[in-house]
Amino acid sequence: MKRRNFIKFSTITILLSKELLVAKTISSKELLTLSNIYEILFPKTNEMPSAKEFNAINYLLENINHKSFLDYDKDLVIQGTKDFISNFPDFLTLNKKEQKELIYSIVNTNDYAQSWISKLLTLGIEALFADPIYGGNTSQ
């Protein structure tokens, strides 16, 4: 392999592996859990789209690897989701009303859960109002 081709290949590999870092650390169950939580935090109303409609999860995944995304926030989102699933493994089997009650009850009784949900809310609001080039708000 020529030196120039090796350098190109190495650079592409490093860039791709960095972008896939979060995709490897967030399982499909964690994404499904986050998606359900976002639908509770941002339900569809007459005036507002739902989290799914403004692509909150896509925004999160697009931006969590960016160098400006704080490691503390990344850890809070990822580890908070893992901790939530380990503490409430049956969350996805609950109906929407039960899921909502669970979310609100833990936020009112646990500072860590409150910080985690607060970060998800902040990222959801960013997704709602951000320029579509960042992965959210794509229907606007």
Side-chain angles (χ1 to χ4, degrees):
M1 180 181 286
K2 292 185 178 180
R3 182 173 163 236
R4 179 170 286 178
N5 288 339
F6 175 76
I7 292 170
K8 282 185 204 176
F9 179 74
S10 298
T11 304
I12 290 170
T13 303
I14 290 169
L15 290 174
L16 288 176
S17 64
K18 184 178 179 186
E19 291 303 314
L20 295 174
L21 178 64
V22 170
K24 290 180 182 177
T25 59
I26 298 180
S27 70
S28 59
K29 184 174 184 178
E30 291 163 352
L31 284 175
L32 185 58
T33 300
L34 281 170
S35 180
N36 277 274
I37 291 170
Y38 267 125
E39 285 301 309
I40 291 166
L41 299 175
F42 298 97
K44 180 168 181 58
T45 67
N46 291 335
E47 295 82 27
M48 299 293 292
S50 70
K52 189 174 191 173
E53 291 174 327
F54 64 79
N55 293 320
I57 293 292
N58 187 50
Y59 176 85
L60 174 68
L61 293 176
E62 290 281 329
N63 290 283
I64 202 166
N65 276 330
H66 193 272
K67 64 184 176 185
S68 67
F69 204 94
L70 299 175
D71 288 338
Y72 172 80
D73 291 342
K74 185 186 303 187
D75 292 341
L76 180 60
V77 169
I78 293 170
Q79 193 57 49
T81 305
K82 290 177 182 184
D83 292 341
F84 179 80
I85 291 170
S86 69
N87 286 309
F88 306 102
D90 297 330
F91 175 75
L92 293 174
T93 63
L94 301 174
N95 64 44
K96 289 293 179 192
K97 182 180 179 192
E98 293 169 330
Q99 288 179 345
K100 183 178 179 178
E101 289 171 357
L102 175 63
I103 295 294
Y104 286 120
S105 71
I106 66 166
V107 165
N108 291 325
T109 59
N110 185 295
D111 290 340
Y112 176 63
Q114 189 175 41
S115 295
W116 175 62
I117 291 294
S118 177
K119 182 50 61 182
L120 293 179
L121 280 167
T122 300
L123 293 167
I125 291 168
E126 286 179 14
L128 178 62
F129 293 110
D131 190 304
I133 63 169
Y134 299 109
N137 193 20
T138 53
S139 64
Q140 303 304 320

